[in-house]
Each structure stands twice: as structure tokens, then as C-alpha cells.
Amino acid sequence: KTIHLILILILASVKGMGWGDLGVLGQPSKETPNLDAMATQGMLLPNFYTANPLCSPSRAALLTGRLPIRNGFYTTNAHARNAYTPQEIVGGISKDEILLPQMLKKKGYASKIIGKWHLGHRPQYLPLENGFEEWFGAPNCHFGPYDSSNRPNIPVYNNSEMVGRYYEEFVIDRKTGESNLTEIYLMEGLDFIYRQTMAQRPFFLYWAPDATHAPVYASKHFLGRSQRGRYGDAVMELDYSVGQILSWLQTLSIANNTFVFFTSDNGAALMSGINGGSNGPFLCGKETTFEGGMREPAIAWWPGHIKEGTVSFQLANVMDLFTTSLSLAGLSPPDDRILDGLDLTPVFLSYSHKLKDRPIFYYRGNELMAVRLGQYKAHYWTWSNSVEELKQGINFCPGQDVPGVTTHTQTQHTLQPLVFHLGQDPGEKFPISVLTKEYQDVLLRISPIVEHHKRTLIAGVPQLNMCDLAVMNWAPAGCEKLDKCLKAPASDPWKCDWSH
């Protein structure tokens, strides 16, 4: 049978869902019954990672199967800086990259993205120019509202034309947190699944809501329901939506030939304090290459194929979803480039219970900060955020200061990496002594992997170096029909300033 593919990513640019936000992973409020049930009915992957501790590079990695340093979603403006795609960015996903929907099209898959795109907002970078047949959502984060004379509000697209803007036609009440966007995204997803099922077409749905992104929002029915405040309200609505999607697959009798995967694009943003998410026992959060910034909740669901209630400790990452999706669709991956994802079907289908020994690379911008192999993680660079930002009250590791580890200056450890045993020390608080045999044995295993990776790496052309106010969302396609076109300023490009 043809396998349908649904990748559900709770993608956020300010407040990502953290590893510790799900009840099945220990969140004490137990407010994610549908995701917890999804794990009970499928497979939980506690050792699952994103490709970067920030939004845009993570989803570029997901859709290309390649590290951001390879696909160009990084900056060389400064060392080890997180960069993304605000609306003043000039670049976007490179035409040299092959995206997952472009590959799936070879097998007749209908593909749709719902929610935030974030791989560039200029016309040549939008989803329908990169393999997707349908899109309902926005190209950028829902920051705002903006004064349209200085900065336009972000447009919402239906396929190739805008149908309104955030804070205008698509209301987000900053004061109350009320917005029906997640509800709209859910209905769009259910409709797409129904249409493709009736047409007997294989489909790929990339469902990427952003309600946990600041300013956090939820629909009226969910506001005020969570013990965790507004962030919890948003999580509860996302959990409900996932439950509705899985139930709809059962109703349409296609659950047994639909592979669904849930994860997040980066760790919870701890700088948001009590208004953000939880990274469970892990150190720090979004923007950092400590475990809290890059280890994500992950659930695979495929009734009749993935054994119920299983847990796999395989080291895995978002780039594996590219390769795995192609395998499920009966496609071979591109052979003209290096891919960083593995085919996880043997793991999901229990063909092999032996864990594949593979590294996890932790990049921040253009720097390889750390590498994990097995239970061990070696840090070659450490940095949380700068002393200057700390003085302004911005702290990526609040309440988690570990001397010599959560450094506020970029600290190099290349000659003597900091090594942690993540099984015994998931919080990365107790480096293994360099005097021990254990330390030396770990380096003997990891060092050759790092050396080979660096020696053979061919970095992509950086796409996130240049900014220009003239390229913002002043006059997107379709604006003239809505009388929503705005006058752009004269072009005056500059090198983007990435502070962390």
C-alpha cells in the first residue's frame, strides 16, 4: 500500500516546545493526553535531536536532510552565531538544495505545508516554488503588531497569494492571548487529508503551527484552562489538534497506511521564564547547544506497523525524517550530495533492536560546538549568551549556572574537550575528569569522528548574512486584491547583526 506521510512539528521561533512539555516525559500537570496516547500507541524516542538550537536552520535541515552548515542556513558574519529568517533577511533556501516534497512528487504525492515556513519570504523562496503544491500559513514569525509605514505586518498566504496579515485580518490579541489561528490550521489539515483520501492520492502533510511562539496564543475555548498559564493553554490546544488529526485518520480508515511523526524544532526558550516551556532534566534551552537547546520530544505513530508502547533509545535527529520519509515512499535519496539523515525504518518497524552507532553534531552557526556518541558528549566550545545580554536580563540558562560550562564568553575546549556521560548526568553538570581512563577512551572514539567530519565538510554558501529593509513583506503577491500593498523603502543592504 501507498504510505501517507504526516510530519507534525511544533515549530516556534521564540518559544519552542521543550523535551519536558509532555506528560509522557514527566510534565507534572499531565495536560497532553493526546500526545501521551500517541506515544502509548506508537514509539517514543527520548534521544531525538534537532539540527540547530534555532527555528529556521532546524526546518531547513528537516526538509533537505542536511546540516545547516551544508544547506547554507547559517551566517559567517560572526563566530558561532544563531541566525534565522526575519523579514529583513535577503536570503532563503538555496536552489541547489533538494527538498522533501520535490522528491515525493516523483511518486505522485500531494504535499501541503500548514503554518510557518521560515525558509525565506521573498517570492523565489516560498513553499510553492520549492515542491509544495499547497500552503496555508505565514513565511515568518508572528511578531508584531507593526506600524506599516516602518515595518509591515507578516502576511498569511493561501497557496501563492496573501489573504491577509497578522494583527489585521488574522487577529492575535496581545493582551488576552486569544487567536483562532491554531483552529484554522487544524481545519486546513483535516480538509487536506480528506481531499487527498477521496482522490486516492498519497499525501505529505507538514503541519507546523506556531502558537507556542511569543506572543503565545490560544483559541477562546482553551484560554485559562492550563495550570501552566498561557503557554500551557497553547500546548493544550496543540495537543487537542494532534488528537483530532489522528482520530480523523482512523475515521477515514487510512491510519494503518499513514506514518505520523511529532517533534519540535528547538528546545524551550528559558529566557521567557515561567511563561515558557520545560526542557525537563536538561541544561539550558533554545539558542544553546546544551541538551536543553537541542534534545526534543519525539513520537512516531503508525498503527499496525510500529509496535504499541515501544521506546527506542536510538540516537536520531530531524534529518533522519527526510531519509526515512523517502524510504517509506519507495524512493532512493539523492546520490549527488552528502546527507546527514539515516533511514530509521528498521528502528520503527523493529527489524533491528541493535542501536546504530552514529554521532550527533551540535552546531551553532558556523561552529561545531559539541558531538555526542553513545552516552558521551564532548564539548569543543561552550557559550550560553554574552555578559552584555546578561546585564540586560537576557539569560539562556536561568537558575542553571554551571561554572566553566555555561560560559558567557565563547570558550574553546578543543585541546581538552569537556566530556559528560549523559546517561548518568543528563544535566551536564559534572564533567568527567581528564585524568581518568574513561575520559581518554571517550576521546579515542570521538576525536577521529570529529576530524573526519571537519576534513570532509563542504560548507554551503551562507544564506543568512545580508539584510535589507526593502525586501520586507511590503507588497506580497495578492496584496493588490486586498488593497494591502505598501510602499517599500529604497534598498540599503547591510550585514545582519546576530548578537548570539
Side-chain angles (χ1 to χ4, degrees), residues 314-317 320 340-342 356-360 372-374:
Q314 173 66 53
L315 296 191
N317 62 47
D320 298 339
D340 296 290
L342 299 179
K356 186 170 178 61
D357 197 24
R358 59 90 66 93
I360 296 293
R372 178 178 178 181
L373 189 66

Side-chain angles (χ1 to χ4, degrees), residues 215-257:
V216 173
Y217 63 78
S219 64
K220 188 174 183 178
H221 178 69
F222 288 90
L223 281 176
R225 287 181 55 184
S226 172
Q227 302 172 54
R228 304 176 64 194
R230 191 177 298 176
Y231 178 88
D233 296 340
V235 171
M236 288 182 73
E237 184 167 15
L238 292 171
D239 174 79
Y240 167 82
S241 300
V242 171
Q244 290 297 297
I245 291 172
L246 299 186
S247 177
W248 191 228
L249 297 174
Q250 300 278 13
T251 299
L252 295 174
S253 300
I254 60 169
N256 282 23
N257 59 317

Side-chain angles (χ1 to χ4, degrees), residues 216-355:
V216 173
Y217 63 78
S219 64
K220 188 174 183 178
H221 178 69
F222 288 90
L223 281 176
R225 287 181 55 184
S226 172
Q227 302 172 54
R228 304 176 64 194
R230 191 177 298 176
Y231 178 88
D233 296 340
V235 171
M236 288 182 73
E237 184 167 15
L238 292 171
D239 174 79
Y240 167 82
S241 300
V242 171
Q244 290 297 297
I245 291 172
L246 299 186
S247 177
W248 191 228
L249 297 174
Q250 300 278 13
T251 299
L252 295 174
S253 300
I254 60 169
N256 282 23
N257 59 317
T258 306
F259 173 78
V260 185
F261 198 92
F262 169 88
T263 190
S264 179
D265 66 339
N266 51 247
L270 301 188
M271 67 282 239
S272 300
I274 61 172
N275 297 313
S278 166
N279 295 316
F282 303 122
L283 185 62
C284 302
K286 178 181 176 175
E287 306 273 7
T288 78
T289 50
F290 301 110
E291 289 298 287
M294 291 184 59
R295 202 189 298 204
E296 308 304 329
I299 304 169
W301 185 89
W302 189 7
H305 300 272
I306 294 176
K307 186 178 178 181
E308 291 188 1
T310 50
V311 178
S312 174
F313 293 98
Q314 173 66 53
L315 296 191
N317 62 47
V318 294
M319 294 166 289
D320 298 339
L321 298 178
F322 177 91
T323 312
T324 303
S325 296
L326 293 182
S327 176
L328 292 172
L331 287 162
S332 298
D335 60 4
D336 63 342
R337 61 201 59 218
I338 292 177
L339 296 176
D340 296 290
L342 299 179
D343 178 6
L344 294 180
T345 52
V347 175
F348 294 144
L349 303 180
S350 300
Y351 293 157
S352 172
H353 295 286
K354 184 180 179 182
L355 301 184

